[in-house]
């Protein structure tokens, strides 16, 4: 795997053999001796390179044991057992608190054009040399943990396996909470024979020498991930963004399916009909809150319900001409700040037990605390362990909760469906204070792809750069595309051609503001009004809509606007042709920067819509 000499493998073989014999791997040898031997070789090689002292394989049943070990090491703080039973706080070093895009690479044997303008590229051989140099001896006196995991329902033909090798018990505990870990996961891997390899080491946590490398062509084409000098979730939990998005998206393009940075929810009407709606929203654009939407009383009394399949990542396959989606994950790795019983009551109920919090504050009563939680506290210790004096952040803006998904109170009955749920709508949306209407339906699949490709959002105070600046984030996948973005758009266009009943595509914007600078739309649970209209459109109940140059918007009579000022609705549903022409000019620069790999078919769509806007603005 790492190109080590044969003698190296032999020298560490006895340690790996002992691990196999004392773990559940020993019972699996009879059914898959070659695969067990292959896994053993990989572990041998990595153990020798890192000079690990011990090797241990992990099972889901070890969660309490691992938690106790971290408590004894004083790496976890136990929270109030009455209010947050079996929940803990972990504090990371202040320089290792977020996904590090500048340190994230896609590695191929070709050239930088393989990954295009949205990625950092390294030649695979150069990257491997960097990895070996930094990983050598990085686990002296440490235990190497072998964590088999499975993404997707156990019985799903669309599931995938992975094995992460790590020296971090914090990583192990997180993986236990957000993936299916252990013997049963390994049994699934044995059946398929396929697994992504993830090699992780905290090393010396040097932020100036941090790498998260993806090798989609290595490991016999199944994918290899290497990360070191980091212990943060998105960099170190290699099952999540690294495998479930980057490696999976690379596979999806080759195999004709989709791995997307999308939530997926079920909208159940009083009639009992359920419509599954997926959506791609960049950070700070309301994706989590939408996925966990709780209907307001006026809707719930009538029998409206919503249920969650995924809050973050959705894998979708073509089933007889219709997309069906599964959630590859088994838990939430959610952002804590501004989560409250007002903004997201279902998330708050989910995290009220068995949760691992990272980098939040803590009260005098050992309750977790963060900005926006709307809870009284006399004395607070901030995320770095200092008494809060009223300045700075109580919780880090990217502080997290890791929670098993089955604690979510409104989990969809289709969450464990091996075939997935039928996806009827895609939503593309970002935080925009002007121009983008509340809801707008694309006229064709290709025009919907254009919506996603044009997606731009306003930066917030938590992002680098000035507040309110616009940045491109097509399909909310800019940080996660493992290949050239032009080919990513091409894959979207091809998927539309293979589907007899493709999802309807809609542009969404909850964040439009009036001249007074205040939001025009109430948001949160009231977003169900927009979902109701979308369900009516994709199911054929609402046949008429206002035809604009950019797409279809609701006729007011077909949408519940009760209690919302009509002048607000008029502004929310305005399609400004002149404003959109300026938007097209701005995004054209981004499209041209992609070069020859930008699909000619999407250029055609771009010019068709632009021509309509020009005619409308005359």
């Amino acid at each position: 795997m790492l190109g080590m000499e044969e003698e190296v493998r032999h020298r560490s073989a006895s340690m790996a053999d002992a691990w196999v014999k004392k773990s559940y791997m020993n019972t699996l040898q009879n059914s898959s001796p070659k695969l067990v031997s292959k896994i053993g070789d990989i572990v041998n090689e990595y153990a020798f390179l890192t000079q690990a002292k011990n090797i241990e394989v992990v099972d889901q049943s070890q969660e309490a044991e691992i938690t106790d070990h971290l408590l004894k090491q004083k790496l976890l703080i136990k929270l109030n057992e009455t209010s947050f039973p079996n929940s803990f706080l972990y504090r990371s070093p202040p320089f290792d608190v977020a996904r590090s895009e500048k340190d994230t690479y896609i590695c191929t044997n070709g050239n930088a054009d393989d990954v295009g303008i949205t990625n950092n590229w390294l030649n695979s051989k150069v990257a491997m040399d960097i990895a070996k140099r930094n990983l050598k001896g990085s686990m002296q006196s440490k235990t190497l943990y072998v964590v088999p995991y499975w993404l997707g329902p156990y019985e799903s033909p669309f599931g995938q396996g992975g094995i992460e090798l790590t020296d971090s018990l914090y990583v192990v505990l997180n993986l236990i909470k957000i993936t299916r870990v252990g013997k049963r996961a390994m049994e699934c891997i044995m059946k398929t024979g396929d697994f992504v390899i993830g090699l992780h080491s905290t090393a010396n946590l040097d932020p100036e020498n941090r790498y998260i490398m993806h090798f989609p062509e290595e490991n016999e084409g199944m994918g290899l991930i290497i990360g070191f000098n980091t212990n943060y979730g998105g960099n170190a939990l290699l099952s999540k963004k690294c495998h479930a998005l980057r490696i999976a998206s690379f596979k999806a393009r080759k195999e004709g399916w989709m791995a997307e940075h999308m939530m997926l929810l079920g909208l159940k009407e009083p009639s009992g009909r359920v419509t599954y709606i997926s959506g791609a929203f960049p950070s700070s654009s309301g994706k989590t809150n939408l996925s966990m939407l709780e209907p307001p009383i006026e809707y719930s009394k009538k029998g409206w319900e919503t249920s969650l399949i995924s809050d973050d990542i959705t894998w979708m396959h073509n089933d007889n001409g219709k997309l069906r989606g599964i959630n590859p994950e088994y838990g939430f790795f959610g952002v804590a700040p501004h989560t409250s019983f007002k903004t997201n009551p279902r998330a708050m109920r989910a995290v009220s037990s068995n949760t691992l919090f990272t980098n939040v504050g803590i009260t005098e009563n050992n309750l977790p605390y963060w900005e926006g939680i709307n809870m009284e506290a006399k004395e607070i210790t901030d995320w770095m362990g200092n008494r809060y004096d009223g300045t700075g952040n109580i919780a880090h803006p990217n502080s997290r909760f890791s929670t098993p998904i089955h604690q979510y109170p409104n989990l969809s009955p289709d969450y464990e469906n091996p075939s997935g749920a039928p996806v009827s709508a895609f939503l593309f949306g970002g935080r925009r204070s002007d121009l983008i209407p509340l809801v707008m339906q694309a006229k064709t699949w290709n025009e919907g792809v254009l919506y996603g490709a044009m997606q731009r959002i306003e930066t917030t105070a938590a992002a680098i750069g000035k507040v309110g600046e616009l940045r491109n984030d097509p399909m909310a996948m800019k940080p996660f595309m493992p290949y050239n973005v032009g080919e990513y758009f091409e894959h979207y266009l091809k998927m539309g051609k293979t589907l007899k009943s493709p999802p309807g595509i809609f542009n969404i914007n909850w964040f439009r503001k009036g001249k007074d600078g205040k939001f025009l739309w109430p948001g949160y649970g009231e977003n169900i009004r927009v979902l109701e209209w979308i369900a009516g459109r994709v199911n054929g109940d609402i046949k008429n809509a206002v035809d604009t140059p950019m797409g279809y918007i609701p006729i007011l009579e077909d949408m519940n606007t009760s209690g919302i000022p009509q002048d607000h609705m008029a502004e929310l549903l305005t399609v400004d042709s002149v404003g959109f022409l300026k938007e097209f000019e701005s995004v054209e620069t981004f499209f041209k920067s992609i070069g020859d790999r930008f699909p000619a078919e999407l250029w055609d769509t771009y010019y068709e819509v632009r021509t309509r806007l020009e005619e409308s603005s005359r």
Side-chain angles (χ1 to χ4, degrees):
M1 176 62 57
L2 293 167
M4 310 270 302
E5 300 87 349
E6 191 63 35
E7 62 206 59
V8 168
R9 298 174 188 272
H10 179 71
R11 285 171 64 186
S12 59
S14 59
M15 183 165 59
D17 288 345
W19 153 63
V20 170
K21 288 176 182 176
K22 72 178 183 180
S23 72
Y24 51 74
M25 292 294 292
N26 197 42
T27 64
L28 300 175
Q29 277 187 313
N30 293 336
S31 59
S32 303
K34 289 185 178 179
L35 194 57
V36 172
S37 177
K38 177 182 176 181
I39 294 169
D41 285 345
I42 293 168
V43 174
N44 290 358
E45 195 173 3
Y46 193 52
F48 181 83
L49 175 65
T50 59
Q51 297 179 29
K53 182 180 180 181
N54 301 301
I55 300 172
E56 291 185 18
V57 64
V58 174
D59 188 67
Q60 202 100 24
S61 61
Q62 293 174 268
E63 180 175 354
E65 175 190 335
I66 291 166
T67 301
D68 287 343
H69 192 65
L70 286 165
L71 281 167
K72 288 174 182 176
Q73 290 182 311
K74 299 190 183 304
L75 293 175
L76 292 184
I77 297 171
K78 186 171 178 58
L79 297 176
N80 187 300
E81 184 64 22
T82 302
S83 300
F84 286 84
N86 195 38
S87 297
F88 305 88
L89 168 63
Y90 174 86
R91 293 184 180 130
S92 72
F95 52 81
D96 191 29
V97 293
R99 247 187 326 104
S100 184
E101 291 180 26
K102 70 179 181 62
D103 302 319
T104 302
Y105 296 86
I106 307 297
C107 310
T108 72
N109 295 314
N111 56 52
D113 201 37
D114 291 344
V115 302
I117 61 170
T118 61
N119 287 297
N120 301 316
W121 174 82
L122 278 174
N123 173 272
S124 290
K125 184 179 183 307
V126 172
M128 200 68 74
D129 288 343
I130 293 171
K132 285 190 284 187
R133 188 165 62 247
N134 282 276
L135 291 169
K136 188 173 182 179
S138 66
M139 293 187 189
Q140 290 183 26
S141 303
K142 294 182 179 180
T143 296
L144 171 60
Y145 298 98
V146 181
V147 190
Y149 63 84
W150 187 257
L151 300 181
Y154 277 125
E155 305 304 323
S156 176
F158 310 128
Q160 292 181 20
I163 300 174
E164 178 162 352
L165 310 183
T166 179
D167 60 0
S168 169
L169 272 181
Y170 169 71
V171 166
V172 174
L173 185 56
N174 269 287
L175 289 173
I176 286 174
K177 288 188 179 293
I178 69 170
T179 66
R180 298 160 173 87
V181 162
K183 183 179 179 181
R184 192 170 178 192
M186 186 61 82
E187 289 171 344
C188 290
I189 290 171
M190 297 294 179
K191 288 179 182 179
T192 64
D194 294 343
F195 57 95
V196 172
I197 298 170
L199 307 178
H200 170 252
S201 173
T202 55
N204 58 12
L205 288 179
D206 178 4
E208 301 303 317
N209 197 29
R210 178 188 294 147
Y211 284 85
I212 305 96
M213 302 168 168
H214 304 72
F215 302 81
E217 298 165 340
E218 299 294 327
N219 183 28
E220 301 175 19
M222 292 179 287
L224 166 69
I225 308 158
I226 303 177
F228 52 86
N229 280 326
T230 180
N231 200 33
Y232 168 74
N235 302 331
L237 307 180
L238 303 184
S239 69
K240 193 165 174 60
K241 305 297 190 186
C242 297
H243 179 171
L245 274 182
R246 296 190 187 99
I247 295 297
S249 185
F250 187 89
K251 289 183 178 182
R253 176 172 167 254
K254 286 197 304 181
E255 298 170 2
W257 51 283
M258 306 178 82
E260 298 299 315
H261 191 208
M262 285 184 166
M263 65 89 200
L264 180 59
L265 66 82
L267 177 68
K268 186 176 181 180
E269 301 173 34
S271 66
R273 182 176 67 187
V274 179
T275 304
Y276 288 95
I277 298 171
S278 191
F281 298 79
S283 61
S284 300
S285 293
K287 182 173 75 168
T288 301
N289 285 347
L290 182 63
S291 70
M292 300 182 183
L293 182 147
E294 185 168 70
I297 293 175
E298 69 165 298
Y299 274 83
S300 59
K301 279 184 175 179
K302 295 176 183 177
W304 289 85
E305 298 176 17
T306 58
S307 59
L308 177 136
I309 288 184
S310 175
D311 71 311
D312 192 38
I313 299 171
T314 302
W315 290 355
M316 291 169 284
H317 291 74
N318 185 344
D319 178 33
N320 294 317
K322 189 171 182 66
L323 281 182
R324 297 188 71 93
I326 64 169
N327 181 359
E329 299 187 287
Y330 203 55
F332 304 120
F333 185 67
V335 176
H338 307 295
T339 303
S340 70
F341 277 102
K342 177 184 177 182
T343 63
N344 198 331
R346 290 180 173 178
M348 291 297 292
R349 289 193 282 272
V351 305
S352 63
S353 64
N354 305 311
T355 295
L356 175 59
F357 293 95
T358 299
N359 293 337
V360 300
I362 188 171
T363 72
E364 73 279 5
N365 297 320
N366 277 23
L367 298 173
Y369 198 96
W370 52 81
E371 280 73 9
I373 194 172
N374 293 329
M375 181 175 70
E376 293 293 329
K378 294 179 180 178
E379 186 178 316
I380 303 172
T381 301
D382 70 18
W383 68 278
M384 291 188 285
N386 303 315
R387 182 169 179 173
Y388 182 63
D389 62 3
T391 62
N393 292 314
I394 297 170
H396 187 275
N398 196 43
S399 55
R400 296 279 172 160
F401 54 79
S402 304
T403 303
I405 200 167
H406 281 282
Q407 293 186 187
Y408 183 74
N410 299 84
L411 196 61
S412 169
D414 273 324
Y415 169 75
E416 292 282 8
N417 185 340
S419 300
V423 182
S424 296
F426 280 5
L427 313 183
F428 292 127
R431 180 179 287 269
R432 295 290 297 269
S433 59
D434 59 9
L435 187 65
I436 308 299
L438 173 66
V439 58
M440 179 171 63
Q441 183 181 10
K443 296 182 178 183
T444 65
W445 174 267
N446 282 15
E447 290 187 20
V449 175
L450 183 65
Y451 280 180
M454 290 179 62
Q455 187 160 268
R456 300 199 298 165
I457 66 162
E458 295 168 359
T459 54
T460 63
I464 296 172
K466 295 180 180 179
V467 173
E469 285 188 342
L470 290 170
R471 64 178 177 87
N472 295 296
D473 195 350
M475 285 81 167
M477 275 287 284
K478 186 175 181 287
F480 311 115
M481 293 179 194
Y483 56 93
N484 192 290
V485 61
E487 293 171 347
Y488 176 81
F489 295 155
E490 182 67 41
H491 179 54
Y492 250 89
L493 296 174
K494 286 181 178 177
M495 286 299 300
K497 293 179 175 65
T498 67
L499 298 169
K500 296 176 185 175
S501 302
I505 300 182
F506 299 79
N507 223 167
I508 297 293
N509 180 22
W510 315 123
F511 302 97
R512 193 154 173 172
K513 294 180 179 179
K515 294 177 182 178
D516 59 1
K518 296 180 180 179
F519 292 115
L520 295 167
W521 182 251
Y524 303 118
E526 299 299 339
N527 292 338
I528 197 171
R529 304 179 189 219
V530 175
L531 299 186
E532 180 183 8
W533 184 78
I534 288 170
R537 290 291 289 171
V538 296
N539 289 311
D541 301 334
I542 301 175
K543 301 188 182 302
N544 298 319
V546 180
D547 189 349
T548 80
M550 280 297 298
Y552 301 115
I553 61 172
I555 297 171
L556 285 180
E557 290 75 15
D558 290 333
M559 187 175 174
N560 179 5
T561 62
S562 175
I564 300 175
Q566 290 304 295
D567 60 330
H568 284 201
M569 288 308 306
E571 195 167 347
L572 283 164
L573 297 177
T574 293
V575 174
D576 176 5
S577 294
V578 174
F580 267 108
L581 281 173
K582 292 178 181 177
E583 185 83 0
F584 269 59
E585 289 174 11
S586 297
V587 82
E588 185 174 1
T589 303
F590 170 61
F591 286 173
K592 286 182 175 177
S593 70
I594 297 170
D596 293 341
R597 300 205 188 188
F598 189 93
E601 189 176 356
L602 197 56
W603 273 128
D604 291 342
T605 303
Y606 169 90
Y607 287 117
E608 286 172 13
V609 179
R610 196 176 79 172
T611 298
R612 294 203 302 257
L613 289 167
E614 289 170 343
E615 291 173 350
S616 174
S617 62
R618 286 178 191 146

